[in-house]
Amino acid sequence: MTDVLLRLDRVNSFYGPVQVHFDLSLEVPCGQIVCLLGGNASGKSTTMKVILGLLKPRSGQVVFDGQPLTGLNTPQIVRRGIGSVPESRRLFGTMTVRENVLMGAYTRSDAKSVAEDYEGVLDLFPKLRERHAQQAGTLSGGEQQMVAMARALMGRPRLIVMDEPTMGLSPLHVDRVLEMIQTINRQGVSIFMVEQNASLALQIAHRGYVLQTGRIVLSGPAADLARDPQIRDAYLGGAQAA
Amino acid sequence: MLPTTFGPWLDYTINGLVIGNIYALLAVGLALIFGVSHLINFAHGSVYMVGAYIGWLCVTKLALPLPVTFVTVAAGCGLLGAVIERVGLRPLRNAPRIAPLLATIGLSVVLDQSAQLLFSPDPRALPTQLPTWRIAIGGGSIGALDLLIAGVGIGSAGLLYGFLRFTKLGWAVRATALDRDAAQQCGVDVDKVNRTVFAIASALGGVSGLLVGMYYNTIDPNMGFQAGLKGIVAQLIGGVGNVPGAIAGSLLLGLIESYGIALFGTSYRNLFAFVALILILVLRPNGLFARARRLPPEPLTGTFIAPSRPLVLPKWAVWTLAALALALPLVVQQPYLLQTLGNAWLYALLALSLTLVAGTVGQVSLGHAGLLAIGAYASSLLALDAGVPVLLAVPLAGLVAAALGTALVYPAFRLRGHYVSIATLAVGEIVTLVILNWESLTRGPIGVTGIPPLSVAGKPLVSGQWVYWVPLIVLLAFAALQSRLLNSHLGRTLRAIREDDVAARSYGVDLNRYKGLAFAVAGFIAGVGGALMAHFYSYINHETFPAPVSMLALTMVILGGLGNVAGAVLGAAVLVGLPELFRAAAEYRMLIYGVVLLLLIRFRPQGLLGTV
């Protein structure tokens, strides 16, 4: 049994009067890739918001590394060691690639090791080295995704949460992004990713959860989920499974 | 009288650039603040005024050397900016977008009035310790102060550029402006960013005030209002939130004003700025320098309608209250009391008019006093110059105000949120400036004297009772009409526009037509109110209906509950009647209004009777 890095414990969250999560509980073990699957409006992205403190749950708690995150704001949560790759990347469009990536190190004050890490992520994403002085908003979708991942890495997080990292990318870039996620994971960073594309997510994930209208309806090792007939019907429709 | 040689034009150019530099110090701060908090800060002009007064204290009372004065002004205003952010705006973070804007208006009133109480409303001289030499350049000349202003402008721009480009906090400011959520997810404390930006902007604004005080050698507690508006105009010319654009817009505005004054005269000065503002808002709402790709800055929609259950008075209660109000002069005989209440009913007409456009239709107008002015001038001039009987001139004046008011605001119909407020504010100022400058019609700064009183069958209605009754009867009639209107299909349509104009449009509502209708009705009511005021006061000039009256009207309307007809009447009675009855010293009155506005926005946005 591995240690649990992130745990959501019976979270109930609301948008005004509308309840989004119903007793949502899930766990991200240390060093693993965990994916949260679900269709539109299942509450996937809201789960990200709850973890990052952008939405306060009405009851239940988020526990990171044994410490509850209740009452902390987003910057404080980020400082605890959670990096994020937001939905549709959310880069700072008119800032350069270099500035965007270094913004990820905003919470760190060790200039020397930041510079080393910056070289490190450029080695990981060589494409960004040529683009470093370019405005981030002018990059292609795949390149922007790399900037977003590089930015998240710069905070030296222990966990990166990703919201639909493959959305809107060409198939070529999708594979590259999945590889990158695995590479990052091998360096010891746990990954929690929210995905609509179950077949892709389950290819690289260790564990998966299936969210339906705010409730977890299935969970288990990724390999089991990929074989589960329910999942196949609901999310792996013939064409996509290929 | 056109200057024919090249020399004076060089002087006008230098003068324009100097003034432009001063505007730039204001506009850059406004652009920074808009960038990170999507707020147009109406308190910025007041910070500028505070800067001038801190400078005045340093120079005249403490006899500090100039560099120390500058540092003190920057530090003092920076601190003030941080305080404004903390107490005025952060508590409203999750309120509707228009709430912080109204809060900055309240703060601005409080700051201006406090300065007036502390330092007296009289202007003060702000002597400079600078040498008086001037360098002649081809027919024009430049003095030490001109160079100092240019130096401060360029120096601040350079410092700001360095800060934004090369410091970590500067990056955080830019990142927050581009994507607040993503910045937070990088660990940026956006509260700290906001505070920093307010401090920097206010420090620059304060220095600007000091420089202006030195340039004209005079400062006064009301100097901030116009200056703040100029900063806003300059910022809009450059494109909201665009820092380099704000500098370019400021220099452009300075030059326009300087050349304009050369061609037309000083009293036109402010007219150029506001006409430029309207043109920009209508033709290039993203500013002159916006890239075509940029999305229109539209995160400002949303009205200040707090959800609430309005207090509904039963019919018999309304009738009883109306009857009691009508019967009051039979019991109370003191003319002073009746006059005060009559005045309150006149202001209630203005509030009634404003609550229709700001409350029901959600177009927060900040220039409503302009409608009073149009009505007042139309009625008096019709009566005096055209010989129209007063009884006929008053409704005619209402029609004129309806037509002119709607036509003037028409270009702003396609704007939303903050932009409506700014555009209407500019329209209000334009009305005042046209009255001042169109001497052949309005008699200019002298004003209109000897306006005949209201009379029926040759009998003038000037006694205390009639001063009370006439406004009350007109008010009751309009209030009844407006209540009926709100409960009709039309009222529902207007509220639909307020709640979601896109949805309303997709259901086939022609926005322009309904907004036009609302402004026309509002213009008629306010116009009649202004006309009655003119006939009761017997003298009006361009300063009878100044911008603070618009702010007062807004406070009344929010106090009563936006959109609420009874609330508008109550708001006017409370804010005009009570201070008078309690004999609150006149100099404290505006301060009280400002504080009331701030407290309402913070603690009871639905007003006393609830929004409708």
Side-chain angles (χ1 to χ4, degrees):
Chain A
M1 187 70 200
T2 36
D3 285 342
V4 174
L5 184 60
L6 177 81
R7 186 158 54 90
L8 269 66
D9 192 12
R10 279 168 294 143
V11 165
N12 287 288
S13 55
F14 291 76
Y15 283 126
V18 182
Q19 184 158 10
V20 183
H21 292 138
F22 298 84
D23 278 334
L24 176 71
S25 296
L26 55 81
E27 288 181 350
V28 179
C30 268
Q32 291 204 352
I33 301 177
V34 173
C35 64
L36 180 65
L37 308 171
N40 285 329
S42 58
K44 295 188 312 281
S45 297
T46 310
T47 312
M48 293 270 297
K49 286 191 180 166
V50 168
I51 294 171
L52 288 167
L54 292 165
L55 181 75
K56 302 281 171 213
R58 197 170 288 178
S59 68
Q61 59 176 356
V62 181
V63 181
F64 180 68
D65 200 16
Q67 307 269 338
L69 299 180
T70 318
L72 300 185
N73 63 21
T74 307
Q76 289 165 332
I77 291 171
V78 171
R79 276 165 204 270
R80 291 281 172 99
I82 301 183
S84 85
V85 177
E87 187 177 359
S88 59
R89 302 171 283 276
R90 305 284 288 267
L91 299 185
F92 306 116
T94 57
M95 294 171 77
T96 64
V97 168
R98 178 170 168 273
E99 287 172 333
N100 264 278
V101 173
L102 287 176
M103 270 309 291
Y106 182 77
T107 54
R108 298 170 54 186
S109 48
D110 42 345
K112 210 172 135 215
S113 57
V114 168
E116 284 167 18
D117 285 3
Y118 180 63
E119 284 306 313
V121 298
L122 289 189
D123 289 340
L124 199 59
F125 303 102
K127 191 91 186 179
L128 301 187
R129 200 183 288 279
E130 355 171 338
R131 298 261 191 246
H132 77 276
Q134 205 170 318
Q135 284 194 358
T138 62
L139 301 184
S140 76
E143 289 166 339
Q144 290 196 11
Q145 190 66 46
M146 289 177 199
V147 176
M149 295 207 299
R151 185 173 71 182
L153 274 175
M154 284 304 291
R156 286 201 174 167
R158 300 181 55 202
L159 170 74
I160 297 184
V161 292
M162 300 187 177
D163 198 347
E164 309 230 9
T166 63
M167 191 172 71
L169 298 184
S170 68
L172 195 72
H173 278 121
V174 166
D175 290 343
R176 295 259 336 172
V177 165
L178 294 179
E179 272 170 44
M180 280 302 155
I181 294 173
Q182 283 181 305
T183 310
I184 292 169
N185 176 241
R186 274 196 290 274
Q187 296 179 351
V189 182
S190 310
I191 309 275
F192 176 73
M193 60 191 274
V194 156
E195 258 297 350
Q196 195 154 359
N197 193 331
S199 59
L200 287 178
L202 290 174
Q203 276 173 32
I204 59 163
H206 299 101
R207 289 181 62 80
Y209 288 88
V210 177
L211 191 63
Q212 215 167 56
T213 56
R215 293 178 177 86
I216 298 288
V217 292
L218 262 180
S219 66
D224 294 358
L225 288 182
R227 280 194 302 270
D228 190 294
Q230 262 183 287
I231 301 270
R232 297 182 73 95
D233 288 349
Y235 301 102
L236 303 180
Q240 272 192 344
Chain B
M1 270 228 313
L2 287 179
T4 43
T5 54
F6 181 65
W9 284 103
L10 199 62
D11 266 341
Y12 294 133
T13 307
I14 292 168
N15 179 261
L17 290 176
V18 167
I19 299 294
N21 244 306
I22 286 168
Y23 291 160
L25 286 170
L26 282 167
V28 160
L30 286 164
L32 280 174
I33 289 174
F34 187 89
V36 296
S37 54
H38 291 287
L39 169 74
I40 290 173
N41 178 13
F42 276 92
H44 208 59
S46 302
V47 173
Y48 155 102
M49 176 275 299
V50 171
Y53 272 90
I54 295 178
W56 175 78
L57 284 174
C58 289
V59 169
T60 60
K61 302 286 168 188
L62 305 173
L64 296 176
L66 199 57
V68 181
T69 302
F70 269 92
V71 172
T72 314
V73 167
C77 289
L79 195 66
L80 175 64
V83 170
I84 289 177
E85 192 275 331
R86 183 66 193 85
V87 300
L89 303 170
R90 199 180 305 170
L92 299 172
R93 216 171 3 187
N94 300 319
R97 291 275 186 208
I98 199 83
L101 179 133
L102 296 176
T104 62
I105 292 175
L107 281 165
S108 145
V109 172
V110 169
L111 286 174
D112 288 3
Q113 294 302 314
S114 306
Q116 223 171 85
L117 291 171
L118 274 174
F119 300 107
S120 94
D122 303 326
R124 309 255 177 186
L126 180 54
T128 65
Q129 304 129 309
L130 288 173
T132 51
W133 47 258
R134 296 190 74 82
I135 312 169
I137 308 177
S141 70
I142 291 184
L145 186 55
D146 298 331
L147 291 176
L148 176 71
I149 292 175
V152 170
I154 295 166
S156 322
L159 277 177
L160 192 63
Y161 178 82
F163 167 73
L164 291 174
R165 200 88 217 170
F166 302 116
T167 69
K168 213 165 146 179
L169 195 53
W171 284 21
V173 169
R174 286 161 65 206
T176 308
L178 289 166
D179 190 329
R180 196 186 175 85
D181 278 0
Q184 280 189 305
Q185 289 174 37
C186 290
V188 173
D189 179 352
V190 292
D191 284 339
K192 185 173 155 196
V193 165
N194 264 344
R195 196 165 54 231
T196 309
V197 162
F198 265 87
I200 293 175
S202 302
L204 293 175
V207 167
S208 174
L210 170 61
L211 288 172
V212 167
M214 289 165 65
Y215 193 70
Y216 293 115
N217 190 21
T218 173
I219 62 173
D220 69 88
N222 293 316
M223 65 190 280
F225 180 71
Q226 290 288 345
L229 289 183
K230 295 296 178 58
I232 291 172
V233 175
Q235 206 228 145
L236 283 164
I237 292 178
V240 277
N242 177 346
V243 173
I247 296 176
S250 303
L251 295 176
L252 197 62
L253 182 63
L255 288 174
I256 293 174
E257 280 195 13
S258 187
Y259 293 144
I261 290 169
L263 290 171
F264 299 99
T266 334
S267 59
Y268 283 87
R269 169 188 284 260
N270 297 330
L271 197 55
F272 304 116
F274 296 120
V275 171
L277 172 68
I278 298 286
L279 286 178
I280 285 286
L281 282 179
V282 171
L283 301 175
R284 305 225 35 175
N286 287 345
L288 286 183
F289 310 111
R291 268 177 247 138
R293 266 182 63 227
R294 248 179 80 179
L295 291 168
E298 282 275 342
L300 309 168
T301 52
T303 49
F304 186 64
I305 296 290
S308 74
R309 192 181 305 162
L311 184 77
V312 179
L313 293 174
K315 252 200 177 115
W316 60 264
V318 175
W319 283 109
T320 315
L321 280 174
L324 282 176
L326 282 168
L328 189 76
L330 305 176
V331 187
V332 180
Q333 310 269 311
Q334 294 116 301
Y336 174 74
L337 188 72
L338 291 177
Q339 212 167 6
T340 301
L341 285 172
N343 207 29
W345 303 142
L346 288 172
Y347 273 97
L349 284 171
L350 179 67
L352 207 57
S353 160
L354 183 59
T355 212
L356 179 65
V357 290
T360 308
V361 202
Q363 312 290 308
V364 176
S365 158
L366 296 179
H368 235 62
L371 294 172
L372 282 186
I374 295 176
Y377 268 88
S379 192
S380 355
L381 295 177
L382 280 171
L384 278 173
D385 295 352
V388 177
V390 175
L391 216 50
L392 185 60
V394 171
L396 280 179
L399 289 177
V400 171
L404 262 182
T406 313
L408 283 171
V409 186
Y410 179 78
F413 280 179
R414 65 203 199 95
L415 305 172
R416 300 159 85 182
H418 285 196
Y419 292 101
V420 176
S421 303
I422 295 167
T424 47
L425 183 61
V427 166
E429 291 298 304
I430 289 173
V431 168
T432 308
L433 290 163
V434 167
I435 289 173
L436 176 66
N437 285 298
W438 195 352
E439 291 193 24
S440 59
L441 181 75
T442 64
R443 299 164 208 195
I446 305 161
V448 184
T449 49
I451 303 168
L454 212 58
S455 57
V456 174
K459 217 179 124 241
L461 307 176
V462 283
S463 73
Q465 283 149 346
W466 286 111
V467 170
Y468 175 92
W469 265 328
V470 173
L472 179 62
I473 291 165
V474 174
L475 174 65
L476 289 175
F478 278 131
L481 270 174
Q482 194 160 324
S483 302
R484 294 206 59 164
L485 183 137
L486 292 187
N487 290 324
S488 71
H489 180 69
L490 179 62
R492 276 191 299 279
T493 310
L494 295 178
R495 281 193 293 271
I497 293 173
R498 168 185 84 195
E499 296 302 329
D500 190 334
D501 57 353
V502 175
R505 200 161 47 187
S506 67
Y507 277 100
V509 174
D510 181 346
L511 296 186
N512 279 355
R513 236 175 82 194
Y514 283 95
K515 283 184 189 174
L517 198 59
F519 271 94
V521 173
F524 186 77
I525 297 174
V528 168
L532 291 176
M533 284 180 184
H535 293 291
F536 284 125
Y537 297 171
S538 86
Y539 169 73
I540 53 172
N541 67 10
H542 66 284
E543 282 173 341
T544 312
F545 310 100
V549 170
S550 299
M551 308 305 159
L552 170 60
L554 194 66
T555 311
M556 289 173 188
V557 165
I558 295 174
L559 177 64
L562 273 166
N564 193 320
V565 170
V569 177
L570 179 71
V574 169
L575 288 179
V576 177
L578 281 188
E580 194 83 44
L581 294 182
F582 288 124
R583 312 269 172 142
E587 61 259 43
Y588 287 102
R589 209 166 291 164
M590 277 310 291
L591 184 63
I592 294 170
Y593 296 154
V595 171
V596 167
L597 182 61
L598 274 179
L599 292 177
L600 280 171
I601 293 162
R602 175 83 176 81
F603 297 108
R604 201 170 164 82
Q606 73 273 37
L608 292 178
L609 299 187
T611 53
V612 178

